[in-house]
Amino acid sequence: MTNWREIYNARRMTVQEAATHLKSGDRVVVAHGPGAPIPVLEAFAANKAAYQDVTFYHMVTHGGAPYVGEELEGHLHLNACFISASYRGEMEKGIVDFYPLHFSEFPAWLEHEMDSNVVVTVTTPPDEHGYVCCGLNCDYTIPAARRARTIIAEVNPNCPRTFGDTFIHVSDIECFVETERPLCESLPRETTEVEKRIGGYCAELIPDGATLQLGVGGIPDAVLPFLLEKHDLGIHSEVIGDGVQVLMEAGVITGKKKTLDTGLVVTGGVFGSAKFHRFVNEHPAFSLRPVNYTNDPRIIAQQKNMVSINACVQVDITGQVNSEFMNGIQFSGMGGQVDFVRGAKMAEGGKSIIACSSTAKKGTISKIVPFLDPGAPVTTARTDVDYVVTEYGIAHLGGRSLKERAKALLQIAHPDFRDALAEEAERRYHCKLF
Ligand code: COA
């Protein structure tokens, strides 16, 4: 075999040259979150006239989605399973196609339904053995890369080198585009008083030794300070952020009590600050795995005391949860919510938590509602829901009757909306709930 260095040097090129390796009709998988090679995507958009009917597949976008736009239609098109803020406007105009899908199913869907054939991703420079590392993503990126016709890598020294299933040999990659741009970051944000109260209630439901799935964002960040007193927590998640570093450095996350992947922080991808990206670099405790592993409810169920925490848009008084549809439009997607709700429910000692503030829009809208909005999908079914938490407390719905659910949810609704909710529940169930 030719020396890998010769292969690498022969395939190094400008981003414009790399764009010529995309062909009409290609079906392109873009790495999740910070792993997206933005300069490569921008070059595709600039070269649009050269392509007909190229389709993109991408979960969460960080740094924009240059392949989406009215002017690109016919050339570049997005099939999305999650709507990110950068193209919500295009979604409303009908330019983006949305596919409802559990995140655990995404790799198989890309292979069997979409027949994807190109992968574009950020990687590290090659190591001494000739492997680059997709250090921020295994999720769906690596499964799609394993069978892609063409892989285009943005080789960037700011990409961490992580373990698990993240390495690709340079001989399997067609184009290398070197950059040194700072990668996109997910920065921890200031938590509000309401989020802190929600965090406190969530922490009450987390025992020592639990394995957690925590997304990124306000509520997971709010739970963290309350976890500093816990012992031997573990992580099994689809993404992780900076909070994991805080809890590892405090000795709280050890993974010692995990019943699967003991001692390891298992995740599909890494969405953190540059500081966190440096922390995971070469860190032997992190193991990045594909989402058909991390999000498979049968795998999640093997973690004793698994606790998942996810957010939502609204919950009706029977416990049906809408986490993806707002103001009449598809706002985001189901992601891995149901994968983790179901897996945690099946786990011995497991719990799933749906956490949200009791109101939205400065207190004018209740998130606990008699009926979901017209057209809103049920993301998590009432048969799957377990705990719902707001700043007013914890409602345990799993295994409860409709009357018991309505009563528990009324108690965690904002006081301004309780009377109206009670009126509807009492009409429906013919009983006094307060
Ligand atoms: N009605 C109207 N507006 C609402 C609303 C409702 N029921 N709920 C929220 N909003 C508004 C908020 O007021 C806020 O508006 P603002 O930006 O003008 O203040 C905006 O919508 C965003 O709400 P917020 O609650 O801050 O959203 P978030 O960023 O925390 O995301 C979800 C919440 C549910 C959309 C998000 O977690 C999601 O997409 N979940 C589904 C996928 C999932 O759970 N994956 C889990 C694995 S990581």
Side-chain angles (χ1 to χ4, degrees):
M1 183 193 187
T2 321
N3 183 308
W4 69 259
R5 287 186 178 81
E6 288 171 24
I7 298 174
Y8 182 76
N9 287 329
R11 298 182 187 175
R12 266 167 59 194
M13 60 187 78
T14 64
V15 72
Q16 290 77 19
E17 284 167 336
T20 66
H21 288 244
L22 192 67
K23 307 290 174 221
S24 289
D26 276 350
R27 295 162 303 281
V28 187
V29 175
V30 184
H32 200 21
I38 302 298
V40 175
L41 300 175
E42 287 170 348
F44 290 158
N47 200 35
K48 64 169 182 170
Y51 322 118
Q52 294 298 313
D53 297 326
V54 173
T55 311
F56 288 79
Y57 306 91
H58 196 174
M59 279 299 276
V60 174
T61 63
H62 288 182
Y67 46 76
V68 177
E70 231 163 340
E71 69 292 356
L72 300 173
E73 279 300 285
H75 305 286
L76 310 181
H77 178 77
L78 175 65
N79 282 351
C81 294
F82 194 92
I83 303 301
S84 293
S86 52
Y87 49 82
R88 229 164 251 147
E90 282 80 2
M91 178 68 198
E92 276 189 73
K93 288 186 199 154
I95 293 173
V96 174
D97 280 307
F98 180 78
Y99 291 73
L101 210 68
H102 298 298
F103 200 21
S104 57
E105 298 170 332
F106 199 55
W109 177 76
L110 288 173
E111 180 172 358
H112 302 299
E113 303 278 347
M114 299 293 125
D115 196 19
S116 64
N117 61 350
V118 176
V119 169
V120 295
T121 181
V122 167
T123 70
T124 62
D127 63 18
E128 59 183 315
H129 306 292
Y131 285 85
V132 296
C133 181
C134 295
L136 297 163
N137 305 93
C138 176
D139 43 58
Y140 57 87
T141 311
I142 290 286
R146 296 280 178 240
R147 53 185 174 74
R149 179 204 73 213
T150 299
I151 303 174
I152 300 178
E154 176 194 346
V155 178
N156 187 320
N158 297 315
C159 178
R161 189 166 178 273
T162 55
F163 304 118
D165 185 3
T166 49
F167 292 94
I168 306 176
H169 194 264
V170 295
S171 59
D172 292 326
I173 297 179
E174 194 167 303
C175 312
F176 296 99
V177 175
E178 293 178 343
T179 77
E180 292 188 0
R181 72 180 170 101
L183 296 175
C184 296
E185 297 179 79
S186 296
L187 298 173
R189 61 175 168 88
E190 194 81 15
T191 48
T192 64
E193 281 311 309
V194 163
E195 286 170 338
K196 283 181 193 161
R197 299 222 302 268
I198 295 170
Y201 286 122
C202 290
E204 283 180 22
L205 295 170
I206 299 172
D208 286 340
T211 293
L212 306 180
Q213 174 249 335
L214 290 173
V216 285
I219 290 178
D221 287 346
V223 185
L224 284 174
F226 298 96
L227 299 181
L228 286 165
E229 303 300 314
K230 307 272 180 192
H231 299 96
D232 290 323
L233 297 180
I235 298 289
H236 181 102
S237 202
E238 71 179 49
V239 288
I240 53 171
D242 286 48
V244 167
Q245 179 175 355
V246 177
L247 292 177
M248 284 176 85
E249 288 176 339
V252 174
I253 290 178
T254 63
K256 280 184 186 164
K257 297 281 161 70
K258 286 180 80 175
T259 34
L260 196 64
D261 303 312
T262 311
L264 293 177
V265 172
V266 170
T267 182
V270 176
F271 285 16
S273 66
K275 177 170 168 260
F276 187 53
H277 295 167
R278 285 193 294 278
F279 182 70
V280 300
N281 185 49
E282 306 268 356
H283 197 310
F286 290 92
S287 182
L288 273 66
R289 308 279 178 85
V291 288
N292 49 330
Y293 178 82
T294 56
N295 286 38
D296 183 337
R298 293 163 298 191
I299 298 292
I300 298 164
Q302 291 175 47
Q303 294 290 2
K304 211 169 154 184
N305 297 321
M306 180 78 207
V307 181
S308 75
I309 304 181
N310 290 293
C312 74
V313 174
Q314 55 184 186
V315 185
D316 79 8
I317 53 172
T318 73
Q320 303 191 101
V321 180
N322 159 27
S323 306
E324 53 186 300
F325 187 91
M326 205 188 289
N327 304 324
I329 62 154
Q330 184 70 43
F331 179 82
S332 58
M334 64 203 308
Q337 180 165 124
V338 176
D339 295 330
F340 279 96
V341 165
R342 289 194 174 149
K345 187 175 181 179
M346 286 189 277
E348 186 185 336
K351 298 180 185 118
S352 82
I353 302 171
I354 297 291
C356 65
S357 53
S358 65
T359 61
K361 298 284 171 210
K362 298 192 168 45
T364 57
I365 293 176
S366 178
K367 290 198 178 194
I368 297 180
V369 289
F371 304 96
L372 298 183
D373 285 352
V378 174
T379 310
T380 293
R382 61 188 186 173
T383 40
D384 289 330
V385 75
D386 195 7
Y387 291 89
V388 178
V389 171
T390 72
E391 70 275 26
Y392 291 100
I394 302 170
H396 186 197
L397 307 186
R400 302 292 185 271
S401 72
L402 292 175
K403 284 179 198 160
E404 288 166 336
R405 286 162 183 247
K407 192 167 182 184
L409 285 165
L410 284 179
Q411 281 162 358
I412 63 160
H414 191 284
D416 289 354
F417 295 95
R418 286 182 195 170
D419 286 346
L421 287 167
E423 203 175 303
E424 170 56 26
E426 288 167 7
R427 185 198 65 75
R428 211 183 287 179
Y429 303 128
H430 310 286
C431 66
K432 232 30 218 150
L433 289 173
F434 270 139

